[in-house]
């Protein structure tokens, strides 16, 4: 029932930054733990980050820890992924997703997915 709309993807030079946004159209957003995943060509979907319903707790994959930050604004029904110090290895389609649980790493544990947004990092 919840619909996720992503924005903020694009082309950026290595070392640069992007901020992705994912807005939910339903009030049920507040009841959902939110996650970020990415998928590069020939690779399986990879966990990136997640945030609890309250926004007080977050988890990150080892590959992005220290560079990426996720946050949420429950008043706006929006979750963010701030990506700093980007490298070509970060090039992928990025997805936001909603789960009825908190702080989950597995794609199968998420019920709703955004359309995906392309992030391309040039060398």
């Amino acid at each position: 029932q919840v619909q996720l709309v992503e924005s903020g993807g694009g082309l950026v030079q290595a070392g640069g930054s992007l901020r992705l946004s994912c807005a939910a159209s339903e009030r049920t957003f507040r009841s959902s733990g939110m996650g970020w995943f990415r998928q590069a060509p020939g690779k399986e979907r990879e966990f990136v980050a997640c945030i609890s319903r309250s926004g007080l707790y977050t988890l990150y994959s080892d590959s992005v820890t220290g560079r990426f930050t996720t946050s949420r604004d429950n008043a706006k029904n929006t979750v963010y992924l701030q990506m700093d110090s980007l490298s070509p290895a970060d090039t992928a389609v990025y997805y936001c997703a909603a789960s009825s649980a908190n702080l989950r790493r597995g794609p199968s544990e998420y019920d709703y997915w955004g359309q995906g947004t392309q992030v391309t990092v040039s060398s």
Side-chain angles (χ1 to χ4, degrees), residues 46-96:
E46 175 190 15
F47 170 78
V48 175
C50 60
I51 187 167
S52 65
R53 298 182 186 95
S54 65
L56 296 177
Y57 303 95
T58 56
L59 292 174
Y60 300 93
S61 68
D62 291 340
S63 62
V64 307
T65 294
R67 299 188 299 118
F68 290 11
T69 304
T70 187
S71 61
R72 66 190 294 164
D73 186 338
N74 287 345
K76 296 181 178 180
N77 294 334
T78 301
V79 63
Y80 304 95
L81 184 67
Q82 178 67 43
M83 305 184 294
D84 298 323
S85 301
L86 287 164
S87 71
D90 297 313
T91 295
V93 177
Y94 283 71
Y95 300 89
C96 64

Side-chain angles (χ1 to χ4, degrees), residues 23 37 43 66:
F37 296 81
K43 304 289 185 179

Side-chain angles (χ1 to χ4, degrees), residues 9-55:
L11 176 65
V12 66
Q13 192 173 6
S17 299
L18 285 174
R19 190 179 80 158
L20 306 183
S21 299
C22 181
S25 60
E26 302 291 339
R27 301 292 292 180
T28 52
F29 170 84
R30 190 178 297 184
S31 299
S32 299
M34 301 296 296
W36 289 97
F37 296 81
R38 66 187 184 186
Q39 189 165 20
K43 304 289 185 179
E44 68 178 12
R45 192 162 297 186
E46 175 190 15
F47 170 78
V48 175
C50 60
I51 187 167
S52 65
R53 298 182 186 95
S54 65

